[in-house]
Structure formats: structure tokens, C-alpha cells
Amino acid sequence: MAEGFESRYTVQVNREQTERMSEQGTPRYTPTIHDMPVGEKPRERLRDNGPGSLSNGELIAILLRDGTRGENVLALSSRILAELDGLQGLSRTNLEEICQFHGIGPAKASQVIAAIELGRRTASMVPDARPVISCADDIKNLVGAEMAALDQEQLRVFLLNNKHQVIGVDTVYQGTVNSASIRVSEILRPAIRRNCPAILVVHNHPSGDPTPSPEDILVTRRLNQSAEIMDIDLLDHIVVGHPDVVSMKSRHLGF
């Protein structure tokens, strides 16, 4: 009886301490990547489905291994990509700059820098090893997690060659992306300047709902008509939400 009373007393004390800590502003426990279902963990998905099934954020999460108190590693990875404007920005950073992020020390930063350098060296050995865009899921894997984490709307133009390989990405608009603020010529200019036969347009909805708005449809219709005149193939217009993306072409919205 004494042991049972002591056990119940200990549980009660621990519960009261937890409640007091919460009331005092101490962060509650944040689920870690280990709490995720096995089929959703990045390492297991990489093992079962290959690295191509993972987003940029998930691949970086594997390198970092763990997050911080109050922020799991997936959230940390997405925040890094969002603040550095994606992989392009990350590839231009150095060790000291990556260490400025809370939760990133020299060891983790070194792992990221080393991975980027290996990728750079591999790309130089195989010049045609560029990402290929064939469906909305390809965009989701490339920039889905990163763009979903942005707190502002952003419109990017993916420049594609005849094989639909990505040869460049231009951020054309940042802020409010609507029919009143967008000029079609600004979206087409990167493709015209680099003589690209095809483009794919991507923008995000910070609300998390990827449902295309009437303004999105209007912009896409105008853009598609202008691209045809310029003999540029508008492959698709993808709207990024969280956790899903929407292909406007597959829904015949503006196309």
C-alpha cells in the first residue's frame, strides 16, 4: 500500500510540476521526428522509395539528424530553406553563415557544406544531371516544403530545356501575387533572355490552401496566351500549399 501511495504521489507531483512549468511559459514538449509514423520518416522513406521521393527539406533533415527543443528537424530544415531562399541560397552560404541558425553548430554545418560540395562536384562530372520536371510531384519534391514555409507569396519561373530539365529558376515576384500586380512580360522575360523553349510557373499560398483563386486563373490564362505567341511552352502553373500542391493544367484552369 505504501509503495502504491508513493507511486501515485510521485505521478501527481510530476503532473503538477508540468502544469506549473507550462503556466510559467516553459515550452511544452514538441513531437520529434521519432514520434512520426514509420512510413513518414525521411530515412525510412528514402530506404523504401529512394531519395527522389524526398523533398529538399527532408533530405537536409537527414543530414542534420535532429532539431532543437521546441523545433523538430523537419521544421528546422524548412526554416533554413525559407530564410535562405531555397537550395540556391543555401549553396551560396558558408560555414559561418549556416552556424548563425539556432540549433546549427559547426558539426551540422560541416555536414551540409560537405553534401553541397559533393553535389556540385557530381554535377560538374555529369553536366546533364539536372532535375527533370514531368509532373506536379516533381515540383513538390523540389521546393514544396520550402515554399510552403514562406510567410509571403512568391512566384518563381522554372526555365526548362527541350527535355524538361531545369536549367534555371528565377524569383519574379515576392509579396502579393495577383492579376493586378503581375505583368506577363516579367514572367516571360527570363525564358526569352535565355532562349528557353519551356517554362513552369510556381507560386505559394501562405494560408496553406493550394486551391487556385480566380486571380490565379486569370493570370494563368493571360500567361498561356502570351507564351503561345512567343512560342514558349507553359508546361504548368503549380500552386504550393501545405501539405499539398495543385496543378492548374491538370484541372484545366487557365489552360
Side-chain angles (χ1 to χ4, degrees):
M1 291 291 293
E3 291 182 359
F5 173 79
E6 182 179 354
S7 177
R8 289 194 301 273
Y9 174 77
T10 301
V11 170
Q12 179 64 26
V13 168
N14 289 338
R15 183 182 297 113
E16 291 174 354
Q17 288 176 339
T18 301
E19 291 174 352
R20 285 197 300 271
M21 291 172 65
S22 178
E23 292 172 356
Q24 293 169 0
T26 303
R28 291 179 178 271
Y29 171 72
T30 300
T32 68
I33 199 168
H34 300 292
D35 300 316
M36 298 173 62
V38 174
E40 295 181 13
K41 294 180 180 180
R43 288 182 185 175
E44 284 72 12
R45 287 181 55 219
L46 185 148
R47 178 196 64 204
D48 298 336
N49 305 316
S53 65
L54 272 61
S55 67
N56 293 337
E58 289 172 322
L59 290 171
I60 293 173
I62 290 177
L63 290 172
L64 299 180
R65 299 182 62 182
D66 51 37
T68 64
R69 185 179 183 184
E71 184 177 43
N72 66 36
V73 68
L74 286 173
L76 174 60
S77 301
S78 295
R79 178 167 62 85
I80 291 172
L81 285 173
E83 293 188 20
L84 292 178
D85 197 21
L87 282 181
Q88 287 185 327
L90 180 60
S91 68
R92 293 191 292 266
T93 59
N94 56 38
L95 188 76
E96 291 74 18
E97 290 170 333
I98 297 180
C99 285
Q100 296 302 309
F101 286 91
H102 175 66
I104 304 295
K108 289 183 178 180
S110 297
Q111 291 171 190
V112 174
I113 292 294
I116 291 173
E117 181 59 25
L118 283 173
R120 187 178 289 119
R121 294 183 187 184
T122 301
S124 67
M125 295 169 59
V126 188
D128 288 334
R130 300 186 177 108
V132 176
I133 303 297
S134 59
C135 62
D137 281 344
D138 293 332
I139 286 294
K140 183 177 181 179
N141 289 334
L142 278 173
V143 297
E146 167 202 342
M147 292 189 70
L150 297 174
D151 56 8
Q152 295 185 68
E153 284 190 334
Q154 188 178 96
L155 187 146
R156 301 182 188 180
V157 179
F158 284 71
L159 307 174
L160 311 172
N161 61 19
N162 286 318
K163 298 179 181 179
H164 293 169
Q165 293 174 311
V166 179
I167 60 177
V169 182
D170 277 33
T171 299
V172 181
Y173 283 94
Q174 175 110 6
T176 301
V177 179
N178 57 47
S179 58
S181 64
I182 287 180
R183 296 177 58 191
V184 169
S185 59
E186 294 291 332
I187 298 176
L188 294 177
R189 181 172 292 140
I192 296 171
R193 186 172 61 244
R194 298 185 62 173
N195 196 29
C196 295
I199 62 172
L200 186 142
V201 176
V202 183
H203 87 276
N204 64 304
H205 283 176
S207 66
D209 180 3
T211 303
S213 67
E215 290 80 9
D216 294 338
I217 298 172
L218 177 59
V219 167
T220 303
R221 182 176 297 114
R222 289 167 45 201
L223 179 59
N224 192 35
Q225 292 170 347
S226 299
E228 287 182 358
I229 294 174
M230 301 302 298
D231 198 26
I232 297 173
D233 181 18
L234 176 60
L235 191 65
D236 205 340
H237 184 173
I238 306 294
V239 182
V240 176
H242 180 74
D244 298 317
V245 302
V246 167
S247 162
M248 293 185 65
K249 188 169 188 178
S250 66
R251 296 193 180 187
H252 305 289
L253 300 175
F255 287 88

